Amino acid sequence: MLPVIPVYWYLCFMKLKIKYLIWGCTLAILALTAIQGYFIYNTFILKQRETETAVRAELIKMEEHMNIDKLRDAWFEQVENMVRENRHSEINALTRNDSAAISRQVSDYINHNQVLDQYHTAYEVVIQNAVLIDKHSGYKLVLKNKRWFNNGKRLNEPQIIHDLTASDDTAAGPMVRDFNTRSSFSINDWQQNILGQMIGLLVFSALLLAFVILLFYFSIRALITQKKITDMQTDFINNITHEFNTPLATLSVAVSTVKSQPELNTNRIISNSVQVIERQHIRLKKLIDQVMTHTAGSQQLILKKEMVPMEHFLQKIITDFKAANPGAELIERLQCEPVSIAIDQFHLTTAIGNMLENGVKYGGTQLIIITTMEGAFYQIAISDNGIGMVKEELEHIFGKFYRIEKGDIHTVKGLGLGLFYSRQLVTAHGGRIGVQSVYGKGTTFTITLPLT
Ligand code: ADP
């Protein structure tokens, strides 16, 4: 059964949905990238600080190990002795060059220390300011920013470990001394080093991001494909419905011609068949008009209700169904009391027709239609002995475009709109639609309509 489809609104919704979805996905990916970038940057900074702290601690340990204070004292004492003994040329030689012996010692230490070596640590101690005045001779030695010792590596962006100050300016002594040193270090190539440590995290993040982008890409592509198929379906429905109009108009003329023949009244079989043809012709015409109306944008269900004797109404449906499905047995147990209800005959015929046809479509060979009065309600139950459905599917089958895809069902063609539309129609009548089914045994649909 071809139901009336509110395709137009559905397509508009899909179009908007896809547009917003693409925007949403792009924003989500950008946000995700920003958050990931922020976390990676933070980890990077944290690692940098950790490295600096570790290197600084190792260098302090080294200075303690070398006893740098003692070295300072020894150096100054040596210079003092030279001053006292007027060995001025030796003083010049001592102060002109870096202290090679200490430098070698430092370099050895750093090369053999795992942390310091790993980060290519550069280390040096600078005499910031050294003053030595011999009060007796008036000799004065002044040194400023003179490198004392280092491990042979150039300092990039040096960081201070500490400044050491010593002064001895006692008026009683023969010498005035002032000695300030600064030890500094730098971690060379730390960026590459830390990036190397974080390579696993970076690769994992990049893969995760690529995976999310791919996921979005394929989802949107699937949606666009689905939309294209729906567009094609709508085009097809539009074209086909227009194409149907000409043969239908011809059929209408032919039916009128046959009906006007006086011999028609003498042959009951032909007369009955012409009635069936005429009813089905009117029905087909209305269906096509509805499809066209709905694809053109009007979704509203307008019921044309009239008081209809239900037994007579159902008998027409049963006759037409039997004519169309001679292979299926349809048993009818219509309740005897005559009942008339205000219904839209056309729409309700569609709903009941859907259920009868589903019964045959989904494996039923015997169908039973039973009508009963339940208080203020009139109930129509349509049972079949077909393939039935599992309990979990029952809440979904009235959904738009829902089809059960399991088992061998997909060989049966359909749009998944029949029951969706049937429920809308019954609800518009103020009624309810229900279903009971046993997998492998059969299904019963019930339509409950209020009497008033
Ligand atoms: P369609 O028949 O076009 O797929 P319907 O909305 O009429 O769409 O039905 C939705 C689904 O419910 C069907 O795909 C089918 O799997 C299931 N179904 C409907 N009626 C029956 C029935 N009588 N017996 C078994 N399954 C049914």
Side-chain angles (χ1 to χ4, degrees):
M1 174 101 248
L2 185 68
V4 179
I5 315 162
V7 181
Y8 177 80
W9 289 112
Y10 176 72
L11 284 182
C12 286
F13 175 67
M14 281 289 282
K15 227 182 245 175
L16 269 179
K17 208 165 85 169
I18 289 175
K19 207 171 119 191
Y20 286 130
L21 207 75
I22 293 176
W23 271 107
C25 287
T26 315
L27 283 179
I29 288 172
L30 285 178
L32 211 70
T33 316
I35 291 172
Q36 227 171 3
Y38 174 74
F39 280 130
I40 289 174
Y41 175 75
N42 268 358
T43 314
F44 188 73
I45 297 292
L46 217 71
K47 282 226 172 245
Q48 182 196 358
R49 287 199 189 130
E50 245 175 43
T51 311
E52 274 175 15
T53 313
V55 167
R56 188 184 291 272
E58 285 302 321
L59 287 172
I60 290 172
K61 252 195 244 167
M62 180 187 78
E63 288 180 347
E64 278 165 11
H65 172 80
M66 285 168 44
N67 208 340
I68 193 165
D69 282 340
K70 224 171 171 184
L71 286 176
R72 280 158 49 89
D73 289 347
W75 186 88
F76 221 88
E77 220 165 278
Q78 196 181 2
V79 178
E80 243 180 50
N81 286 338
M82 288 174 181
V83 170
R84 241 182 244 118
E85 292 158 18
N86 285 327
R87 288 147 53 197
H88 293 165
S89 58
E90 280 180 58
I91 297 172
N92 287 344
L94 182 75
T95 54
R96 204 167 31 242
N97 304 319
D98 299 353
S99 174
I102 307 175
S103 290
R104 240 190 334 273
Q105 208 181 328
V106 166
S107 181
D108 266 8
Y109 188 97
I110 289 177
N111 290 344
H112 289 97
N113 181 292
Q114 204 200 341
V115 178
L116 300 177
D117 186 47
Q118 181 189 352
Y119 294 109
H120 305 128
T121 311
Y123 172 81
E124 75 174 14
V125 177
V126 173
I127 299 169
Q128 282 185 296
N129 180 37
V131 179
L132 190 70
I133 302 168
D134 184 352
K135 287 182 188 166
H136 296 308
S137 67
Y139 178 83
K140 189 176 179 186
L141 172 74
V142 178
L143 294 175
K144 284 224 180 289
N145 291 327
K146 160 90 189 70
R147 198 166 59 189
W148 183 14
F149 57 84
N150 66 86
N151 72 330
K153 287 197 171 119
R154 209 169 60 84
L155 259 78
N156 306 325
E157 301 166 30
Q159 305 207 41
I160 299 166
I161 303 175
H162 47 63
D163 288 343
L164 293 174
T165 309
S167 49
D168 179 5
D169 193 10
T170 46
M175 298 272 182
V176 176
R177 23 191 252 175
D178 196 0
F179 191 39
N180 301 329
T181 58
R182 165 173 285 182
S183 53
S184 325
F185 75 99
S186 81
I187 300 172
N188 294 346
D189 308 330
W190 64 271
Q191 283 102 333
Q192 286 93 316
N193 217 309
I194 293 175
L195 281 177
Q197 287 176 31
M198 287 172 59
I199 193 82
L201 178 73
L202 289 174
V203 170
F204 179 71
S205 301
L207 284 179
L208 199 70
L209 203 67
F211 178 69
V212 171
I213 291 173
L214 274 181
L215 217 65
F216 278 150
Y217 170 75
F218 283 119
S219 311
I220 290 170
R221 210 175 69 161
L223 250 173
I224 291 172
T225 314
Q226 207 181 355
K227 192 188 152 295
K228 272 188 193 151
I229 294 170
T230 320
D231 281 354
M232 274 163 56
Q233 219 173 25
T234 318
D235 279 355
F236 176 74
I237 291 171
N238 277 339
N239 291 339
I240 209 100
T241 42
H242 278 105
E243 291 302 318
F244 276 166
N245 276 334
T246 320
L248 273 177
T250 319
L251 195 63
S252 168
V253 175
V255 170
S256 303
T257 315
V258 175
K259 268 177 75 183
S260 65
Q261 300 306 308
E263 307 90 80
L264 192 70
N265 298 329
T266 56
N267 192 327
R268 215 171 55 84
I269 296 175
I270 296 182
S271 143
N272 280 349
S273 300
V274 168
Q275 273 175 25
V276 171
I277 294 172
E278 192 183 21
R279 269 209 304 274
Q280 290 303 322
H281 164 259
I282 294 168
R283 189 157 170 67
L284 198 57
K285 177 96 186 66
K286 276 188 178 177
L287 272 174
I288 288 168
D289 285 349
Q290 269 189 343
V291 171
M292 276 163 58
T293 315
H294 282 260
T295 49
S298 157
Q299 191 197 12
Q300 230 176 12
L301 205 61
I302 299 158
L303 296 181
K304 280 193 205 135
K305 282 193 187 176
E306 52 192 324
M307 285 307 279
V308 177
M310 291 307 281
E311 197 187 339
H312 177 67
F313 165 71
L314 289 171
Q315 274 304 347
K316 273 194 297 178
I317 298 176
I318 290 166
T319 309
D320 288 355
F321 178 79
K322 280 181 174 168
N325 299 277
E329 183 192 0
L330 176 57
I331 301 169
E332 55 210 76
R333 288 197 206 126
L334 308 186
Q335 68 108 39
C336 320
E337 230 178 285
V339 180
S340 289
I341 309 180
I343 56 164
D344 181 314
Q345 288 201 68
F346 173 75
H347 284 317
L348 215 57
T349 304
T350 307
I352 296 169
N354 276 342
M355 284 162 199
L356 286 171
E357 275 159 32
N358 275 357
V360 178
K361 235 164 79 173
Y362 297 106
T365 50
Q366 189 188 63
L367 278 74
I368 307 172
I369 178 163
I370 303 173
T371 59
T372 45
M373 294 284 291
E374 301 282 337
F377 294 94
Y378 183 79
Q379 197 171 68
I380 307 162
I382 298 157
S383 308
D384 65 65
N385 61 346
I387 55 173
M389 291 171 271
V390 291
K391 214 170 146 216
E392 297 76 57
E393 295 285 4
L394 299 183
E395 59 183 296
H396 303 298
I397 56 172
F398 296 101
K400 200 174 186 181
F401 293 116
Y402 190 83
R403 304 203 71 216
I404 300 173
E405 295 294 346
K406 281 183 230 131
D408 52 2
I409 274 195
H410 44 266
T411 51
V412 181
K413 297 278 169 279
L415 288 172
L417 285 165
L419 290 180
F420 167 74
Y421 185 57
S422 299
R423 184 158 72 172
Q424 282 201 326
L425 296 177
V426 174
T427 313
H429 278 85
R432 274 180 287 116
I433 198 163
V435 60
Q436 282 178 319
S437 190
V438 179
Y439 185 64
K441 288 232 161 90
T443 305
T444 300
F445 284 104
T446 47
I447 295 174
T448 310
L449 297 168
L451 287 174
T452 48

